[in-house]
């Protein structure tokens, strides 16, 4: 068993010290940080702090770990923080006991929403090894969001190594039961202590962890409410970034969907009512298309769709099967209604980190209650995709993405 919590002193862990504390061979740290020259700041260069500079302050009081908690309610013992300023650049990363943040009341992330976040998971396999699923894709997406929010650039590999160390320290929180996991929430906020809409001169990147059970009831399909009077994102906006404002502004429509007896909103766009996303999920339609072809279709990444990691994995996985057409194309409610009337729809489902795969059973649209097939002989795709992705995440099969195999106490990164 890991012995990371044996003392509470703040210190840096060298590779030999890491090996001595865990009892397992240490994973070598990556090459020192890379020099960056971001185009959106009036500075010529700065360094992202090296993971080798990471300091660790272990908690002296560890919380009782529940068996499995509901999503996003119970957090682990530690967090990662990295501060940045325009004058000094990135400071040394610090893993410390989970605690509240202290920010100035004029902090621009509070007033103007200059902030973003990411979401990925750590899974415990049958071999007791912990794995992160395609985390570099999350780092790339986070960097894209940071550029859009005028927050500073960072080294993807160095940040990922710091996250790996945090997960390694709190790995006892990762449930042994399926499908529970550990949710990882990197967050990046402006800490600019002044009013005025401008690029921040100070920022904080931090990471917290929480247990994650099922986001929805795994045995039931969800219902969606579709009304074009609400729009989640638009061309030229931030729909393709994981920025908090995209989610906060969706709450009003979400609660109206509940008033109609639905669980989520089916977001539509444009005069032709294009299907874009379902709640916070990407959406997929498995059907017989207008040309009589079996097809799995999802809306294209045109700036209003979030480039989901699960979405990309589904596209790559199903294309590799070569059993039906897999496309990124525009889909409208008119096309869906016609296909339902002609019985050409096999399945409709959402995908995302929190829920992974979520079947859709009903849509309320323009006074109609549309029934979507999801529990018959033609709707086996969601179960198959879910099983194959789960096997990849827990390391139970050979898959598309190369694993860096380590000792059971270490954290492997499924790239």
């Amino acid at each position: 068993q890991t012995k990371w919590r044996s003392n509470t002193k703040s210190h840096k862990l060298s590779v030999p010290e890491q090996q001595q504390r865990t009892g397992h061979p240490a994973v070598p740290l990556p090459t020192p940080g890379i020099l960056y020259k971001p185009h959106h700041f009036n500075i010529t260069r700065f360094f992202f702090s090296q993971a080798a500079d990471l300091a660790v302050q272990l908690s002296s009081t560890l919380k009782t770990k529940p068996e499995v908690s509901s999503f996003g309610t119970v957090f682990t013992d530690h967090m990662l923080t990295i501060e940045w300023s325009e004058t000094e650049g990135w400071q040394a990363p610090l893993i410390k006991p989970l605690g509240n943040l202290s920010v100035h009341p004029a902090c621009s992330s509070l007033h103007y929403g200059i902030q973003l976040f990411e979401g990925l998971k750590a899974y415990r396999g049958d071999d007791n090894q912990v794995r992160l699923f395609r985390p570099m894709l999350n780092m790339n997406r986070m960097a894209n969001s940071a550029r859009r929010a005028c927050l500073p650039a960072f080294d993807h590999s160095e940040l990922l190594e710091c996250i790996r160390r945090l997960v390694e320290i709190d790995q006892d929180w990762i449930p042994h039961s399926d499908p529970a996991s550990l949710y990882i929430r990197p967050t990046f906020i402006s800490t600019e202590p002044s009013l005025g809409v401008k690029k921040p001169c100070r920022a904080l990147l931090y990471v917290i962890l929480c247990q994650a059970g099922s986001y929805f009831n795994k045995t039931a399909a969800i219902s969606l409410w579709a009304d074009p009077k609400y729009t989640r994102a638009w061309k030229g906006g931030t729909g393709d970034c994981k920025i908090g404002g995209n989610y906060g502004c969706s709450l009003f429509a979400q609660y109206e969907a509940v008033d109609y007896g639905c669980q989520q909103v089916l977001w539509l766009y444009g005069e032709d009512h294009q299907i874009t996303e379902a709640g916070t999920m990407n959406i997929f339609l498995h059907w017989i298309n207008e040309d009589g072809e079996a097809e799995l279709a999802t809306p294209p990444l045109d700036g209003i769709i979030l480039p989901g990691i699960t979405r990309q994995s589904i596209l790559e996985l199903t294309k590799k099967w070569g059993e039906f057409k897999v496309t990124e194309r525009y889909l409208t409610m008119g096309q869906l209604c016609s296909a339902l009337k002609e019985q050409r729809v096999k399945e409709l489902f959402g995908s995302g980190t929190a829920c992974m795969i979520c079947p859709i059973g009903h849509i309320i649209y323009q006074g109609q209650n549309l029934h979507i097939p999801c529990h018959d002989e033609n709707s086996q795709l969601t179960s198959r995709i879910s099983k194959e992705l789960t096997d990849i995440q827990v390391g139970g099969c050979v898959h598309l993405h190369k694993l860096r195999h380590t000792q059971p106490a270490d954290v492997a990164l499924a790239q």
Side-chain angles (χ1 to χ4, degrees):
Q1 186 173 349
T2 176
K3 299 179 181 178
W4 281 90
R5 306 182 179 95
S6 57
N7 72 54
T8 59
K9 273 188 162 184
S10 176
H11 60 280
K12 300 173 185 176
L13 293 177
S14 64
V15 169
E17 186 178 6
Q18 179 186 345
Q19 180 171 343
Q20 181 181 359
R21 287 183 178 275
T22 61
H24 296 279
V27 179
L29 293 169
T31 322
I34 298 174
L35 190 65
Y36 274 88
K37 186 178 179 181
H39 67 276
H40 54 278
F41 280 95
N42 295 322
I43 53 176
T44 56
R45 60 185 182 179
F46 64 92
F47 284 98
F48 182 84
S49 296
Q50 300 175 21
D53 294 331
L54 175 68
V56 179
Q57 181 184 349
L58 299 175
S59 175
S60 59
T61 305
L62 303 181
K63 294 179 286 190
T64 302
K65 302 172 182 63
E67 296 246 342
V68 176
S69 59
S70 57
F71 182 85
T73 59
V74 177
F75 296 88
T76 67
D77 295 301
H78 298 91
M79 65 189 298
L80 168 70
T81 62
I82 316 172
E83 295 185 4
W84 175 88
S85 71
E86 188 176 31
T87 56
E88 298 181 3
W90 287 101
Q91 302 303 298
L94 172 64
I95 291 175
K96 63 180 183 179
L98 180 74
N100 295 336
L101 302 178
S102 177
V103 297
H104 193 278
C107 179
S108 61
S109 60
L110 301 178
H111 292 265
Y112 311 116
I114 305 176
Q115 59 87 250
L116 59 98
F117 66 94
E118 262 303 326
L120 60 157
K121 286 182 177 179
Y123 302 86
R124 188 183 297 279
D126 294 335
D127 57 0
N128 203 37
Q129 182 166 314
V130 173
R131 296 174 176 87
L132 307 180
F133 181 63
R134 311 193 75 180
M136 193 55 73
L137 296 181
N138 293 92
M139 299 297 99
N140 295 340
R141 187 172 66 182
M142 186 173 180
N144 182 63
S145 299
R147 282 192 297 272
R148 190 66 169 84
C150 291
L151 287 166
F154 58 89
D155 184 286
H156 304 186
S157 298
E158 296 288 325
L159 176 57
L160 183 54
E161 174 60 16
C162 291
I163 292 173
R164 189 195 68 80
R165 294 282 294 276
L166 176 64
V167 173
E168 191 171 45
I169 288 172
D170 277 352
Q171 65 180 288
D172 288 347
W173 282 85
I174 304 174
H176 290 265
S177 59
D178 179 49
S181 57
L182 188 71
Y183 184 77
I184 304 167
R185 170 56 65 89
T187 309
F188 202 0
I189 65 172
S190 163
T191 52
E192 173 69 34
S194 62
L195 299 179
V197 183
K198 57 189 176 183
K199 296 175 183 177
C201 295
R202 296 178 60 183
L204 173 67
L205 197 163
Y206 67 92
V207 182
I208 54 178
L209 313 173
C210 68
Q211 284 193 337
S214 296
Y215 198 78
F216 297 114
N217 184 344
K218 286 282 186 180
T219 62
I222 67 167
S223 55
L224 302 178
W225 176 67
D227 192 316
K229 70 179 180 180
Y230 295 119
T231 302
R232 188 197 80 91
W234 50 91
K235 298 290 180 65
T238 59
D240 59 345
C241 300
K242 211 163 176 64
I243 288 175
N246 294 343
Y247 298 81
C249 68
S250 71
L251 289 176
F252 191 83
Q254 166 66 30
Y255 280 96
E256 190 164 342
V258 172
D259 291 340
Y260 280 88
C262 297
Q263 295 160 279
Q264 293 288 327
V265 177
L266 177 58
W267 297 103
L268 306 179
Y269 180 78
E271 295 297 323
D272 55 350
H273 297 179
Q274 293 173 22
I275 296 169
T276 62
E277 294 190 6
T280 60
M281 301 179 289
N282 294 124
I283 194 165
F284 285 83
L285 173 62
H286 186 209
W287 68 335
I288 303 300
N289 66 20
E290 304 93 333
D291 298 323
E293 304 167 300
E295 179 182 51
L296 179 65
T298 191
L301 300 180
D302 61 355
I304 67 173
I305 303 294
L306 185 73
I309 280 72
T310 307
R311 173 190 181 276
Q312 179 175 334
S313 300
I314 292 171
L315 289 173
E316 292 172 359
L317 188 66
T318 52
K319 284 178 181 178
K320 185 181 179 185
W321 293 345
E323 299 175 11
F324 43 77
K325 189 176 183 179
V326 179
T327 59
E328 298 176 71
R329 54 168 289 184
Y330 291 105
L331 299 165
T332 68
M333 284 303 299
Q335 290 172 320
L336 177 62
C337 290
S338 295
L340 286 169
K341 186 177 180 180
E342 297 166 7
Q343 298 185 336
R344 291 188 285 111
V345 175
K346 295 175 177 287
E347 291 172 275
L348 187 69
F349 61 91
S351 70
T353 298
C355 68
M356 191 160 74
I357 305 294
C358 181
I360 296 165
H362 293 273
I363 298 175
I364 293 180
Y365 171 68
Q366 294 185 337
Q368 304 176 73
N369 190 346
L370 307 175
H371 171 71
I372 313 295
C374 58
H375 289 299
D376 58 28
E377 66 276 5
N378 293 321
S379 59
Q380 303 302 315
L381 185 62
T382 53
S383 299
R384 181 181 175 188
I385 292 173
S386 182
K387 182 182 183 306
E388 293 215 14
L389 285 179
T390 299
D391 286 345
I392 292 170
Q393 289 162 348
V394 301
C397 70
V398 177
H399 52 83
L400 298 174
H401 319 298
K402 183 180 179 182
L403 277 174
R404 176 172 63 77
H405 293 287
T406 62
Q407 296 297 321
D410 292 322
V411 180
L413 309 178
Q415 307 288 6

